[in-house]
Amino acid sequence: MAHRSHLFTLRMFHALRESLSETPYGLKIFSQDLLAGITVGIIAIPLAMALAIASGVAPEYGLYTAIIAGFIIPLTGGSRYSVSGPTAAFVVILYPIVQQYGLSGLLLASILAGVILVLMAFLRLGRYIEYIPESVTLGFTGGIAVVIATLQIKDFLGLHIVDMPEHFAEKVNLLFHLMPDYNLWSLSVGAVTLLVMLTWPYLKTPVPPHLPAVVIGSIMALMANQSSVEVATIGSTFSFTLPNGVQGFGIPSMLPDLQWPWDRTQPGEVSLVFNWQLLQDLLPAAFAIAMLGAIESLLCAVILDGMTGKKHSANSELLGQGIGNIITPFFGGITATAAIARSAANLKSGAKTPIASIIHALVVLVALLSLSKVLSFLPMASMAALLIIVAWNMSEAPKAFHLIKTAPRSDVMVFLVCFSLTVLFDMVLAITAGIILASLLFMKEIAEMTTVRDITHSSKLIDIDIPAGWSVFKITGPIFFAAADKVFGELSLLCESKKGMVLYLDGVSILDSGGVAALSKFIEVSEKYNAQIYLADLQRQPLKTLSRAGLPAKNSVITFPTLAAALENLKKGEGNH
């Protein structure tokens, strides 16, 4: 019952309350949370910047997200080990928004998404996210990974592209034609960064691989730039203007200020006019952000539950995610959700409560204030290499290949549709089409499970001689709209040549309105040919549904509690009339 209560629980600070109520919070637990928070905070710094760049905004906005959302969401949410911030999954949605509406449009869409997440929490929709098939989630995450990796080719090769085309095919075409103009040093920096990240785990050290990788990449870029070879860095690519009008390069070493999201812009952008039409235009993107945020955060919570044996509150987690995404954009932070890789690292580092995630946000804050000049030396090629690894990890390629090899053809079809639509069009269309297709194929499979079998001469089930003109049929499986017409359509064809039929229904667990309508048509046909109908051994749900629908109300239809009772009635000779 405790697990069931967590499915429906909705309260702020749920995870914090639960974890602190289990054991007294002392110095020992705090030291474990502190160590985990510092570890994950160090991991999050380059990731937050890289994901902000991939989303089309300056790196400091990724840091703002890790600080504000990384503090608010674990404080108010329902999963005790989740670490929230910018994630790779959102890149495919956020990048087009920035291209069309700028930073201010992205921030406003994030707020709308936060409102939708809060509404989902109050409507107790958290548990229903689990019903999305794996073929759908693998399809769109794989597609997102391909899009992210494609977007990194520009910086990995050091190509000079001002405006990236909107559609995937156009992106690939442009990159292909500009590839001969690659920067050898940028390619070298990116390749070495990639190589270090791939080989470092074999050393089995506690240091995460992307830290030495970006350090080595930064040293290479610094040497190249001192030799008059241009290698793009965060400092040479991004600029900012301080409140006093002084312009700087790289990342500003200052706290994010409170500002209306629609007024916050990047260099070269103009602020938006906040009105109802703008909200309407951004609502589809906001819905996509909310849906993906819900899926990502709850999937992360489920994985952490499996690793720990603890139980999260899905609706409380949606509430925390919603509150975080409403507040964060006012301080310049972009869309945030729980990050699976960072959350797993948090748990493995010894985290005991959400305080570890809160400490991670404070670590990022300290880095912003004290290390901004150092962070400006990070090369764009290293950031691209980091995101290529992130894309590969989020694609879950081994699991996707296993699904293609072993899953039914219907699941493979759903996966390929979601993957293709995500790459070629957008994730909203992919998820919508994937869920609809998966639902239709599932209903088709369930409908095919519903069968009608003539058991008139079955010695195991029938212990009397069935009168001439009578037949006994056993129906097995749910009688719902997708199966009912076929089942009763087959029986209707037999009414003309029958005196009556016994329908043995103990294998029918579900009867919906479509089934009732098909049964009513069947009864009308049986009356037309004066055929008697016996309904035997109805289960609770079908019997309740028939009673609510006012069936059977015809003299030609009689219900019996068991098949034996129906056969006994036939044996008495009443079936011969």
Side-chain angles (χ1 to χ4, degrees):
M1 290 299 293
H3 174 56
R4 182 173 174 83
S5 67
H6 279 305
L7 288 175
F8 296 96
T9 298
L10 175 62
R11 60 175 181 168
M12 287 183 65
F13 317 111
H14 174 84
L16 189 62
R17 292 181 186 182
E18 287 281 302
S19 57
L20 295 182
S21 66
E22 289 181 358
T23 54
Y25 195 80
L27 183 60
K28 181 180 179 181
I29 296 178
F30 174 73
S31 63
Q32 291 174 303
D33 282 341
L34 178 63
L35 179 61
I38 292 173
T39 302
V40 179
I42 293 171
I43 293 172
I45 293 165
L47 279 174
M49 293 191 296
L51 291 166
I53 294 168
S55 300
V57 298
E60 63 263 28
Y61 297 110
L63 296 175
Y64 297 161
T65 309
I67 295 167
I68 307 300
F71 186 95
I72 293 173
I73 294 174
L75 179 68
T76 59
S79 178
R80 67 179 70 189
Y81 303 111
S82 292
V83 176
S84 293
T87 60
F90 281 123
V91 170
V92 70
I93 305 177
L94 306 189
Y95 187 79
I97 298 175
V98 175
Q99 282 189 309
Q100 185 172 358
Y101 297 99
L103 172 64
S104 53
L106 172 56
L107 300 181
L108 189 54
S110 299
I111 294 174
L112 292 175
V115 173
I116 294 172
L117 284 167
V118 170
L119 291 176
M120 291 172 67
F122 278 103
L123 292 173
R124 304 298 201 278
L125 298 180
R127 60 192 296 258
Y128 295 106
I129 300 299
E130 299 174 8
Y131 297 157
I132 296 178
E134 184 182 45
S135 54
V136 174
T137 56
L138 283 177
F140 75 73
T141 53
I144 290 170
V146 170
V147 174
I148 292 173
T150 303
L151 290 172
Q152 304 321 305
I153 294 175
K154 175 178 76 72
D155 289 329
F156 192 86
L157 298 179
L159 302 177
H160 295 283
I161 301 176
V162 178
D163 294 314
M164 187 68 79
E166 180 179 355
H167 300 293
F168 181 78
E170 295 172 351
K171 290 185 178 78
V172 173
N173 182 59
L174 178 62
L175 290 169
F176 179 78
H177 283 91
L178 292 179
M179 203 167 289
D181 299 329
Y182 70 91
N183 182 316
L184 180 59
W185 269 97
S186 291
L187 175 59
S188 300
V189 168
V192 169
T193 304
L194 200 60
L195 181 63
V196 172
M197 281 192 287
L198 292 174
T199 57
W200 188 264
Y202 292 105
L203 299 179
K204 300 187 183 302
T205 69
V207 179
H210 68 273
L211 293 181
V214 296
V215 168
I216 294 172
S218 299
I219 294 172
M220 289 182 63
L222 184 62
M223 292 171 58
N225 287 326
Q226 288 181 342
S227 302
S228 302
V229 179
E230 182 184 356
V231 175
T233 62
I234 287 177
S236 66
T237 306
F238 297 98
S239 62
F240 58 88
T241 302
L242 297 174
N244 59 7
V246 176
Q247 188 176 23
F249 296 92
I251 299 172
S253 57
M254 56 184 293
L255 292 170
D257 60 321
L258 179 63
Q259 187 177 345
W260 290 117
W262 47 89
D263 288 335
R264 193 184 297 272
T265 59
Q266 299 186 103
E269 296 178 351
V270 294
S271 59
L272 297 175
V273 177
F274 181 72
N275 54 40
W276 178 245
Q277 183 60 49
L278 178 62
L279 294 179
Q280 286 182 307
D281 293 341
L282 290 172
L283 193 58
F287 181 77
I289 292 171
M291 286 300 299
L292 183 57
I295 294 170
E296 281 283 300
S297 60
L298 297 185
L299 177 62
C300 177
V302 169
I303 291 173
L304 294 171
D305 285 353
M307 296 169 67
T308 62
K310 304 293 185 180
K311 297 298 178 185
H312 72 285
S313 167
N315 295 308
S316 299
E317 180 64 7
L318 289 183
L319 180 63
Q321 294 289 338
I323 293 171
N325 279 286
I326 290 172
I327 296 175
T328 301
F330 285 91
F331 294 91
I334 59 176
T335 309
T337 190
I340 296 175
R342 273 163 277 170
S343 300
N346 184 44
L347 178 62
K348 292 176 182 178
S349 299
K352 299 298 179 184
T353 73
I355 292 175
S357 301
I358 293 171
I359 292 172
H360 128 273
L362 299 177
V363 170
V364 178
L365 174 61
V366 171
L368 172 67
L369 297 178
S370 59
L371 298 176
S372 60
K373 291 184 178 180
V374 175
L375 295 176
S376 296
F377 288 107
L378 294 178
M380 297 298 292
S382 291
M383 296 289 98
L386 175 60
L387 285 175
I388 289 172
I389 295 295
V390 169
W392 171 258
N393 291 334
M394 77 167 296
S395 71
E396 295 189 275
K399 189 182 292 187
F401 289 133
H402 183 264
L403 181 142
I404 293 173
K405 289 180 180 179
T406 62
R409 284 195 297 177
S410 58
D411 286 341
V412 175
M413 184 188 304
V414 171
F415 168 80
L416 293 175
V417 166
C418 286
F419 178 85
S420 302
L421 291 178
T422 301
V423 172
L424 298 176
F425 297 99
D426 64 73
M427 197 205 69
V428 182
L429 178 61
I431 293 180
T432 304
I435 292 176
I436 292 174
L437 180 59
S439 301
L440 292 174
L441 292 173
F442 176 75
M443 286 188 289
K444 177 179 178 292
E445 292 175 1
I446 295 299
E448 290 173 350
M449 292 172 60
T450 304
T451 59
V452 181
R453 184 162 58 97
D454 189 339
I455 60 171
T456 305
H457 303 293
S458 172
S459 58
K460 291 182 179 180
L461 299 172
I462 309 297
D463 57 0
I464 68 167
D465 293 328
I466 303 298
W470 277 79
S471 293
V472 183
F473 294 94
K474 179 177 176 60
I475 303 177
T476 305
I479 301 180
F480 67 114
F481 64 92
D485 286 336
K486 177 186 175 184
V487 169
F488 291 114
E490 292 177 2
L491 295 174
S492 296
L493 297 175
L494 303 174
C495 287
E496 186 176 1
S497 60
K498 298 291 182 181
K499 290 183 179 180
M501 301 181 205
V502 179
L503 303 185
Y504 182 29
L505 302 171
D506 79 317
V508 177
S509 57
I510 296 174
L511 178 70
D512 72 350
S513 58
V516 171
L519 176 59
S520 299
K521 292 179 184 177
F522 168 64
I523 293 172
E524 291 175 5
V525 174
S526 67
E527 286 185 326
K528 177 181 177 181
Y529 294 107
N530 296 316
Q532 182 83 47
I533 304 297
Y534 288 0
L535 304 179
D537 213 341
L538 283 157
Q539 292 192 37
R540 179 179 177 83
Q541 193 277 340
L543 184 62
K544 187 177 180 180
T545 302
L546 285 178
S547 176
R548 190 178 299 164
L551 291 175
K554 306 288 186 180
N555 293 330
S556 59
V557 182
I558 306 175
T559 60
F560 295 89
T562 63
L563 176 61
L567 297 178
E568 182 65 25
N569 201 61
L570 276 179
K571 188 176 180 181
K572 291 177 180 179
E574 294 185 18
N576 293 321
H577 298 296

